[in-house]
Amino acid sequence: MRLIILANGYSYGIHYVSGISKLSQTDLKRRSRRYAGRLLMLFSLMVSSPWGHAEETDGQPSGVEQEIIAIIAAKQHPYLKLSSFLNRAEDLENLYRFSGHQLLWLGHDHSEKNIATALTLLEEASVHGLNPANYDAEALQRKLPAALQPDPENHHSLALYDTALSLSLLRFLHDLHYGRVNPQGINFNLKLRAKKLTDLPALIKDSLAQDTIAKLPLLVEPKLKQYQKLKQALAAYRRLAAEARPYELAYTKAIRSGDKLPKMAELRRFLIAVGDLPEDKADEGGNDEAAPIYTGEIVEAVKKFQYRHGLDADGVIGKNTAAALNVPLKQRVTQIELAMERLRWLPELPAGPSIIVNIPAFQLWAFNAQGEIDAEALNMKVVVGKALENQTPVLMAEMRFIDFMPYWNIPYSILKTEVLPKIIKDRNYLAKENIELVPSFGNEIKAVPLTDQSISRLRKGTLKARQRPGNKNALGKVKFIFPNQSDVYLHDTPANALFGRSRRDFSHGCVRVEHPRRLAEFVLKDQAGWSPETIQEAMQTPKTQRVLLKKPIPVLFFYTTSFLDQHDNLVFYQDIYDHDPVLQSALEKPADLSDQSLFISKSPAPVQLVR
C-alpha cells in the first residue's frame, strides 16, 4: 500500500507495507522520520516564501535559496554601483540566515509597502547628511515595477533585487551608525569601540516583522544631543541654500557703525534669513535706501553673526567678517554634514564627567553628564597648537592625575631648535628662564651643572632640560595629565593676553586653558580633601604636588568646524588645520568600512537559526 501526498504540484510518498516481516520496526521508524521531516520542510518553505516553496527535494536547496547563497558567496552585486560588498558580506549572510536564505522583500503580502518604505529611507539619506547616490536608490526604484511582477520561476532576478535592496539598506544603516570613513585613516586618533554592539541584520529582521522599517534610522543614529541639533540645523540650512538670496559684499575698507553701507537691504534680508536679525527689529535704523547708514539693530545683528562665525563680535565689518558673509550657504551645509560624520565616529561615551576641546573653536567644555553641552557646562577659551607647525592632535584619553606647580619637561624638538641656540649664545639664559639640566625627567631628579660636556649631551639627547615651578613656568601653576601617544596635555599659562584674541593657535601642541583653577575644581569636585580653598593653596605653594584621580575623566580633543554651543547657537569656525577638504575628499570615494577596523574585539557571531 502507498499513500501519495500532493502539495502545490509536488508529490511526496510514504510507503506502508502489509507484511511487517518485510521491514524491521527499526527500518520502518527510520523511513517514517525521514518522510515526516521532508514533509515538514515542505510546509516550512511554503509558509516562508511563496516563490521559494516546494523546490527542495532530497535535502537540496530551493532555487531562490541557491541564488541568494551564490550572490552572497560571490561578494559582488551587478545591480549596485559599488558592486563589491566584501565588508558587508557577513552582515548580508546573517540577515538572510534569519529567513533560511529565502526572499525578505519580494513575494509577501506587504512587499510593495515594505519596499517603498525602504526606498524612501535611501532616497532621503541626505536628511542625515549622507549621499543617496551611495545607496543606489534611483536604480532600485527603476527596477521595482519589474521586481513586483516577476516570473516566479526566474529565481535569479528575484534573488538579485531582494539582495540588492537588503545590501543598500545595510550600507545606509552602517554609514549612519559608524560613519563612512575610518577616522584613524585621516589622523583622527579616536578610540576604537570595544566591541560590536549593534546587530544591523537583527534590526532589519525585527523591523520587517513588526512593520517598523521607517524607524530604523532612529535606532542607529548617534544619540548625542549635539548630533540631533546638527541634523535640525542641516535641514534649515539646506532650505536656506535653496531659497535665500546669496549675499556678496565687495570689501574695500572696514565699515563701522555710522558709516554708509551700500546694499543695506540685501544685508538686512540675509541676516533675517540666517536668524541673526529678528524680523520685528529689521526696520530699526539705516532705512534710507538712498543713503543707507550702518547702525542700530543691523550692527547688533552683525555682532551676533560674528560670534556665530568665530570672529571678534565688535560689529565692525572688516576683511574677515566680509569673507564670512560671502561664504555660500551650500558650503555651510557641507560643514554641518562633515560635523555629523565626525560625531558618528565617536564610541559610546561613559556616563559621568567628561571634558571636550573643540580645536578650531578654541573652546573647552566640561560636563557633569554624558557629553551634553548645555548652559550649565563649564566653558572656557583655550590656546591650541600652531596651524602650520605644531597642530594639536585629535585624540581620546583618560585624565588620571594633576600636577600642581609642575615642572615643564622641555621636549627634545623644542630644546634642539629653540633652547640650545639661546644657551650657546648666552650661558646665563638657563638661570634667567629658571631652567635646569637633568639626566632624566622626574620630580625628585637632581639637576646637573651647565658645562661644555653637558651642552654636548644636550645635543645628543642624552641630557634633558626642564623649567622649574614658578611664575615663569610655561605650564603655569597646574597641569592636567591624560597619558597619550602624542604626549600632549591641558595646562595653565603665564601668557594670558593670548586669550583675548579671536584666533588662538599659538602653542607647541598642548592646550592652554583660560581658567585653570575652575577646571581643577571641576576635576577634583568629588575627591576627598579638595576644595576651592585647598586648590588655591596648592597653586600658590612652590612645591610640586601630584594628585591621583580616584576616577579617571574622559578627555576628547575633537575637530569640527560647525557646532551647537551651550546656548544653542549654531557656530561655524575657520578650518585652521585644513581638515575639512581631507574629509570631503575621502567621502567622495565611497567604500564599505571594514568592521575589523572599527572594533578592538568582535562580539561572538550571531546565533544561527536551526532550520
Side-chain angles (χ1 to χ4, degrees):
M1 181 176 68
R2 188 180 184 198
L3 175 63
I4 304 296
I5 299 178
L6 295 176
N8 203 37
Y10 289 79
S11 63
Y12 281 76
I14 299 179
H15 298 267
Y16 292 90
V17 293
S18 57
I20 193 68
S21 60
K22 293 182 180 180
L23 286 173
S24 68
Q25 280 193 326
T26 301
D27 289 337
L28 185 58
K29 289 180 180 178
R30 186 184 301 116
R31 291 192 181 189
S32 297
R33 283 197 298 268
R34 183 165 67 248
Y35 287 122
R38 290 181 180 178
L39 190 58
L40 285 173
M41 183 174 292
L42 170 67
F43 289 147
S44 174
L45 290 174
M46 290 172 65
V47 170
S48 65
S49 172
W51 293 327
H53 67 280
E55 292 283 338
E56 188 170 316
T57 60
D58 296 326
Q60 295 301 312
S62 69
V64 165
E65 182 177 358
Q66 287 179 328
E67 294 291 348
I68 289 175
I69 290 173
I71 291 168
I72 296 172
K75 300 179 177 59
Q76 294 280 335
H77 206 296
Y79 279 12
L80 305 180
K81 186 164 52 178
L82 182 61
S83 59
S84 173
F85 59 92
L86 178 66
N87 290 328
R88 290 288 76 77
E90 182 180 350
D91 282 340
L92 195 63
E93 165 62 23
N94 289 337
L95 177 58
Y96 278 94
R97 187 181 289 129
F98 286 127
S99 70
H101 294 91
Q102 300 303 315
L103 299 172
L104 293 171
W105 303 95
L106 295 169
H108 300 283
D109 291 341
H110 302 290
S111 287
E112 191 166 356
K113 174 177 177 288
N114 288 342
I115 294 172
T117 303
L119 289 178
T120 297
L121 291 182
L122 303 182
E123 290 165 352
E124 296 179 353
S126 58
V127 170
H128 307 276
L130 302 175
N131 185 357
N134 293 344
Y135 313 110
D136 296 278
E138 289 187 9
L140 290 170
Q141 189 69 58
R142 286 196 304 271
K143 293 179 181 292
L144 179 58
L148 290 174
Q149 296 180 346
D151 174 2
E153 299 302 317
N154 190 347
H155 302 131
H156 185 61
S157 63
L158 291 170
L160 279 175
Y161 190 90
D162 209 84
T163 53
L165 181 56
S166 294
L167 185 53
S168 291
L169 189 59
L170 279 168
R171 282 173 163 166
F172 166 68
L173 296 176
H174 198 279
D175 289 353
L176 184 56
H177 187 66
Y178 299 112
R180 294 160 285 171
V181 173
N182 184 344
Q184 297 193 342
I186 54 174
N187 295 320
F188 273 47
N189 294 315
L190 302 174
K191 279 186 177 180
L192 296 176
R193 289 168 167 86
K195 59 182 179 179
K196 191 173 184 177
L197 298 176
T198 302
D199 190 341
L200 298 179
L203 290 178
I204 294 175
K205 173 190 74 78
D206 292 343
S207 74
L208 280 166
Q210 299 165 16
D211 194 23
T212 56
I213 299 167
K215 296 181 180 180
L216 276 171
L218 299 176
L219 300 178
V220 300
E221 67 184 3
K223 301 301 185 289
L224 291 170
K225 288 182 181 177
Q226 180 71 205
Y227 182 90
Q228 299 300 326
K229 292 176 181 177
L230 282 170
K231 187 167 74 168
Q232 295 172 7
L234 176 64
Y237 263 76
R238 190 166 272 133
R239 286 194 301 271
L240 284 175
E243 300 170 4
R245 295 185 194 176
Y247 180 72
E248 295 181 5
L249 176 64
Y251 177 79
T252 55
K253 65 176 183 177
I255 300 170
R256 293 175 169 79
S257 179
D259 291 348
K260 290 183 180 180
L261 176 60
K263 302 174 72 173
M264 175 72 81
E266 288 89 337
L267 177 58
R268 181 183 293 110
R269 187 163 43 242
F270 177 80
L271 293 172
I272 291 172
V274 297
D276 294 323
L277 177 61
E279 287 194 64
D280 59 350
K281 295 184 178 181
D283 295 330
E284 297 182 21
N287 276 319
D288 185 356
E289 292 301 329
I293 304 299
Y294 176 57
T295 186
E297 291 299 325
I298 300 294
V299 175
E300 295 305 310
V302 167
K303 288 181 180 179
K304 184 176 180 182
F305 177 88
Q306 289 171 323
Y307 167 80
R308 288 198 315 104
H309 292 77
L311 304 169
D312 288 327
D314 55 10
V316 177
I317 304 178
K319 185 177 181 180
N320 291 335
T321 300
L325 287 166
N326 288 334
V327 170
L329 291 175
K330 285 185 178 180
Q331 184 172 324
R332 300 305 187 194
V333 169
T334 299
Q335 284 183 257
I336 297 171
E337 291 176 338
L338 297 181
M340 294 172 69
E341 171 70 11
R342 287 168 176 144
L343 287 175
R344 294 184 193 110
W345 301 341
L346 295 178
E348 292 72 16
L349 297 175
S354 58
I355 296 170
I356 291 180
V357 171
N358 186 9
I359 296 167
F362 311 111
Q363 297 278 329
L364 175 149
W365 287 268
F367 334 97
N368 290 313
Q370 180 180 339
E372 301 301 353
I373 295 178
D374 53 35
E376 302 301 317
L378 176 63
N379 173 231
M380 65 187 70
K381 298 175 182 177
V382 298
V383 173
V384 302
K386 297 175 184 176
L388 298 179
E389 304 169 31
N390 307 107
Q391 296 182 5
T392 295
V394 172
L395 58 81
M396 296 183 76
E398 289 185 331
M399 186 182 297
R400 297 188 174 274
F401 48 92
I402 295 177
D403 278 355
F404 287 109
M405 301 304 289
Y407 285 96
W408 177 38
N409 298 322
I410 303 174
Y412 179 70
S413 59
I414 299 176
L415 174 66
K416 184 177 180 180
T417 58
E418 299 181 27
V419 176
L420 254 177
K422 293 175 181 177
I423 294 175
I424 294 170
K425 185 176 181 180
D426 180 7
R427 290 293 183 104
N428 291 322
Y429 174 78
L430 292 180
K432 288 188 292 186
E433 295 299 323
N434 206 19
I435 296 174
E436 61 187 14
L437 308 181
V438 289
S440 62
F441 292 137
N443 291 344
E444 306 303 323
I445 302 298
K446 293 184 179 180
V448 299
L450 175 64
T451 64
D452 290 340
Q453 184 181 9
S454 61
I455 290 177
S456 176
R457 291 181 62 192
L458 282 174
R459 285 197 180 97
K460 297 176 183 177
T462 59
L463 197 64
K464 304 179 185 301
R466 69 183 182 188
Q467 191 174 37
R468 290 186 289 269
N471 292 332
K472 286 190 174 184
N473 188 282
L475 306 186
K477 298 179 179 180
V478 60
K479 172 183 176 183
F480 304 87
I481 306 166
F482 35 97
N484 59 86
Q485 290 183 344
S486 300
D487 196 26
V488 294
Y489 40 83
L490 297 163
H491 65 88
D492 181 19
T493 176
N496 290 313
L498 295 177
F499 293 112
R501 303 194 185 186
S502 59
R503 176 163 174 162
R504 297 184 291 277
D505 53 324
F506 299 105
S507 81
H508 286 92
C510 291
V511 175
R512 309 171 192 175
V513 298
E514 182 183 23
H515 301 297
R517 181 178 59 79
R518 291 175 60 192
L519 185 58
E521 290 173 2
F522 171 85
V523 170
L524 297 174
K525 65 179 180 298
D526 295 324
Q527 193 123 338
W530 288 97
S531 65
E533 292 74 25
T534 54
I535 290 172
Q536 183 66 25
E537 182 180 350
M539 293 178 68
Q540 294 175 342
T541 302
K543 183 176 176 59
T544 300
Q545 182 178 1
R546 173 160 291 183
V547 182
L548 300 178
L549 302 186
K550 290 184 178 179
K551 185 177 180 180
I553 297 177
V555 175
L556 170 62
F557 282 8
F558 203 50
Y559 192 102
T560 179
T561 57
S562 61
F563 197 75
L564 271 295
D565 71 7
Q566 65 270 36
H567 304 296
D568 281 345
N569 292 301
L570 176 62
V571 188
F572 296 102
Y573 300 109
Q574 185 178 350
D575 183 14
I576 59 172
Y577 294 167
D578 292 327
H579 283 337
D580 281 0
V582 174
L583 178 54
Q584 279 183 269
S585 177
L587 292 174
E588 290 169 1
K589 305 166 187 174
D592 291 327
L593 278 182
S594 164
D595 280 351
Q596 283 78 4
S597 69
L598 297 175
F599 308 107
I600 296 173
S601 63
K602 294 188 68 179
S603 59
V607 177
Q608 296 187 14
L609 299 182
V610 177
R611 296 171 43 224

